[in-house]
Amino acid sequence: MDFDHSPVMLEEVIDRLDIKPQGVYLDGTLGGAGHSLEIYRRLNKDGILIGLDQDIFALETSTKRLKDANGQAKTILVNTNFKNIKEVCEKNNIEGLDGILLDLGVSSHQLDQAERGFSYQKDAQLDMRMDRREELTAQIIVNEYSMEEIKNIIQSFGEERWASRIAEFIVDRRKEKKIETTSQLVDIIKAAIPSGARRDGPHPAKRTFQALRIAVNNELGILEKVIKDGITLLKPGGRFCVISFHSLEDRIVKNVFNNSVNPCTCPPEFPVCICGKKPEVVLIGRKPVTASNDELERNPRSRSAKLRVAEKMIIQS
Ligand SMILES: C[S@@+](CC[C@H](N)C(=O)[O-])C[C@H]1O[C@@H](n2cnc3c(N)ncnc32)[C@H](O)[C@@H]1O
C-alpha cells in the first residue's frame, strides 16, 4: 500500500522555519516525509536533516523518498520516539539545531492501514500502537483496565460526555466476551450513547478512539518534555514549529512556549526579578496559524490543525 498523506500547512511551516541552506534541521515526526522533503531540498552539502519516526513503516517510506530526491545534505534517520531527541543529537554529535518540526498525531496512512487498528471505520484487531515494539495496545486497555481508568481516559483524552456510560458498557460486555476488534468496540460505543445524542455531529466512536490512541501512545505525556528539550537544543535564532490536532495538545504546546517566553517565578509585586530565570524564546505570531481556505477544501485533516512557532532568543552578551 502506498504511503498516502498530504502534509498539513506545508508552505506555512517551510516559511516559518526560515531554512538556512547549511543549517541543521530535525523533523521529529517524519511520516511520509511530506515536510522533510521540502526542508531537504533547501539544504546544501553542509546542511543536515535529522528525521525521527517511531513507526518503522513510516521511516522506511521516508528514507526511500529522501534517497530518491537526490539531495546534497546529510541525512540521519532514526526509528525512535521523539522523546529521545536529546540522545539522538548527542549520539550524532549535533551541537545545535536551526529548526525543529513536530507534526503531531497519526498519519492518514496509519489510519488507512486497517490492521493497525486506529480506525473506527475499518474492522481490525484493536491495536493502535504507532511503535509496534511497545507492549501496550488498545485491546489491553479495554479488557484489563478498571472501569474508572477507562472512564478517565475517555473523558480526559476524548473529552467525551458519555465517557462513564461507555466505560460501563465496555466493562459489562467484556465479562461475556473479550473485546478484540475495532467493530466490537464501535458496537459497544453505539449501544452506550443514546440514539438521540448520536444523530448529529461526528461518528459516535471518534472521541473514544482518539482517547485510546492518545493513551496507548502516551501522546500527551511526552509532549512537554520534548518541547523543553527541543528548546535547549535550538541554536540562537533557531525556530520550533509544532502542529497539533486537538485542544489538549495545543494547550500543552501553548503553555510550554509561554512559560519559556516568561519563565520568571517572582511574585508580581516584586519590583525586580530575583529568580534569575531568563526568557528562552520569543513567539513568532501570538495566535496559532491555521490552514488556508484552499487547503481546508483539499485536505480535511487540516481542519483542526494549529501551528505554533517559537524562536530561540539571541542572547546579547
Ligand atoms: C502526522 S504524521 C507526520 C506526517 C509528515 N509531516 C508528512 O508530511 O508526511 C505523524 C507521524 O509522526 C509519528 N509520530 C507520532 N508521535 C511520535 C513520537 N512520539 N515519536 C516519533 N514519531 C511519532 C507517527 O508515527 C506518524 O508517522
Side-chain angles (χ1 to χ4, degrees), residues 248-259:
L248 301 163
E249 271 175 353
D250 183 54
R251 202 175 308 148
I252 296 175
V253 180
K254 181 176 147 187
N255 288 342
V256 182
F257 276 174
N258 282 345
N259 287 339

Side-chain angles (χ1 to χ4, degrees), residues 217-253:
N217 298 290
N218 188 20
E219 290 177 35
L220 300 180
I222 56 177
L223 198 47
E224 182 175 338
K225 176 181 163 20
V226 69
I227 300 175
K228 285 184 174 167
D229 285 351
I231 289 174
T232 63
L233 287 165
L234 280 176
K235 294 180 193 167
R239 295 269 176 102
F240 203 145
C241 293
V242 188
I243 305 176
S244 62
F245 289 88
H246 52 81
S247 55
L248 301 163
E249 271 175 353
D250 183 54
R251 202 175 308 148
I252 296 175
V253 180

Side-chain angles (χ1 to χ4, degrees), residues 125-139:
Q125 289 289 309
L126 258 179
D127 189 318
M128 301 199 191
R129 283 172 301 169
M130 288 191 207
D131 183 344
R132 289 171 136 177
R133 294 167 296 189
E134 294 294 331
E135 282 182 4
L136 183 65
T137 62
Q139 210 177 100

Side-chain angles (χ1 to χ4, degrees), residues 14 19 21 25 33-45 47-50 62-77:
I14 297 300
I19 294 165
Y25 291 85
H35 294 96
S36 267
L37 270 170
E38 291 307 316
I39 299 173
Y40 187 51
R41 290 192 178 115
R42 285 164 174 75
L43 298 178
N44 66 22
K45 65 176 184 20
I48 303 178
L49 171 70
I50 305 164
S62 39
T63 301
K64 181 166 183 321
R65 286 184 178 171
L66 288 161
K67 189 160 177 262
D68 291 348
N70 258 329
Q72 302 176 331
K74 179 178 173 185
T75 56
I76 299 170
L77 307 174

Side-chain angles (χ1 to χ4, degrees), residues 131-162:
D131 183 344
R132 289 171 136 177
R133 294 167 296 189
E134 294 294 331
E135 282 182 4
L136 183 65
T137 62
Q139 210 177 100
I140 292 179
I141 295 181
V142 296
N143 288 292
E144 297 177 23
Y145 281 24
S146 69
M147 182 153 60
E148 188 65 15
E149 286 170 318
I150 296 173
K151 184 196 91 181
N152 288 341
I153 287 173
I154 300 175
Q155 204 162 50
S156 46
F157 299 156
E159 298 178 294
E160 168 64 67
R161 62 184 282 236
W162 300 101

Side-chain angles (χ1 to χ4, degrees), residues 25-305:
Y25 291 85
L26 184 143
D27 179 350
T29 49
L30 258 181
H35 294 96
S36 267
L37 270 170
E38 291 307 316
I39 299 173
Y40 187 51
R41 290 192 178 115
R42 285 164 174 75
L43 298 178
N44 66 22
K45 65 176 184 20
D46 298 318
I48 303 178
L49 171 70
I50 305 164
L52 318 179
D53 202 300
Q54 60 180 337
D55 182 335
I56 185 66
F57 184 76
L59 194 89
E60 282 169 358
T61 303
S62 39
T63 301
K64 181 166 183 321
R65 286 184 178 171
L66 288 161
K67 189 160 177 262
D68 291 348
N70 258 329
Q72 302 176 331
K74 179 178 173 185
T75 56
I76 299 170
L77 307 174
V78 191
N79 180 207
T80 191
N81 193 300
F82 58 53
K83 71 181 179 192
N84 302 318
I85 180 174
K86 260 191 169 167
E87 290 77 356
V88 170
C89 289
E90 266 165 31
K91 201 167 161 205
N92 290 284
N93 299 318
I94 302 290
E95 283 170 6
L97 298 170
D98 292 282
I100 302 174
L101 167 65
L102 297 178
D103 173 17
L104 299 169
V106 271
S107 64
S108 312
H109 179 75
Q110 285 164 331
L111 289 171
D112 289 344
Q113 269 185 310
E115 71 274 15
R116 305 295 297 266
F118 285 110
S119 172
Y120 46 78
Q121 284 162 329
K122 295 184 163 73
D123 188 26
Q125 289 289 309
L126 258 179
D127 189 318
M128 301 199 191
R129 283 172 301 169
M130 288 191 207
D131 183 344
R132 289 171 136 177
R133 294 167 296 189
E134 294 294 331
E135 282 182 4
L136 183 65
T137 62
Q139 210 177 100
I140 292 179
I141 295 181
V142 296
N143 288 292
E144 297 177 23
Y145 281 24
S146 69
M147 182 153 60
E148 188 65 15
E149 286 170 318
I150 296 173
K151 184 196 91 181
N152 288 341
I153 287 173
I154 300 175
Q155 204 162 50
S156 46
F157 299 156
E159 298 178 294
E160 168 64 67
R161 62 184 282 236
W162 300 101
S164 286
R165 260 176 78 85
I166 295 171
E168 250 174 62
F169 274 59
I170 287 174
V171 170
D172 203 44
R173 292 286 178 90
R174 78 186 185 193
K175 286 185 199 141
E176 296 158 23
K177 188 171 181 240
K178 190 171 174 199
I179 305 165
E180 287 177 312
T181 65
T182 49
S183 55
Q184 267 176 287
L185 183 60
V186 169
D187 289 344
I188 296 171
I189 296 166
K190 282 185 175 164
I193 303 179
S195 57
R198 275 193 272 122
R199 217 165 286 135
D200 303 315
H203 190 287
K206 185 174 178 204
R207 291 170 186 276
T208 302
F209 270 62
Q210 172 188 297
L212 288 170
R213 193 202 83 209
I214 291 175
V216 166
N217 298 290
N218 188 20
E219 290 177 35
L220 300 180
I222 56 177
L223 198 47
E224 182 175 338
K225 176 181 163 20
V226 69
I227 300 175
K228 285 184 174 167
D229 285 351
I231 289 174
T232 63
L233 287 165
L234 280 176
K235 294 180 193 167
R239 295 269 176 102
F240 203 145
C241 293
V242 188
I243 305 176
S244 62
F245 289 88
H246 52 81
S247 55
L248 301 163
E249 271 175 353
D250 183 54
R251 202 175 308 148
I252 296 175
V253 180
K254 181 176 147 187
N255 288 342
V256 182
F257 276 174
N258 282 345
N259 287 339
S260 308
V261 169
N262 185 10
C264 174
T265 49
C266 296
E269 62 274 17
F270 278 26
V272 288
C273 167
I274 56 157
C275 75
K277 295 192 178 119
K278 297 269 181 287
E280 290 177 286
V281 297
V282 289
L283 299 181
I284 303 298
R286 288 215 67 79
K287 289 210 166 143
V289 182
T290 52
S292 64
N293 288 338
D294 181 41
E295 180 168 8
L296 291 173
E297 267 177 43
R298 273 186 289 114
N299 186 2
R301 228 181 83 78
S302 67
R303 239 178 278 141
S304 49

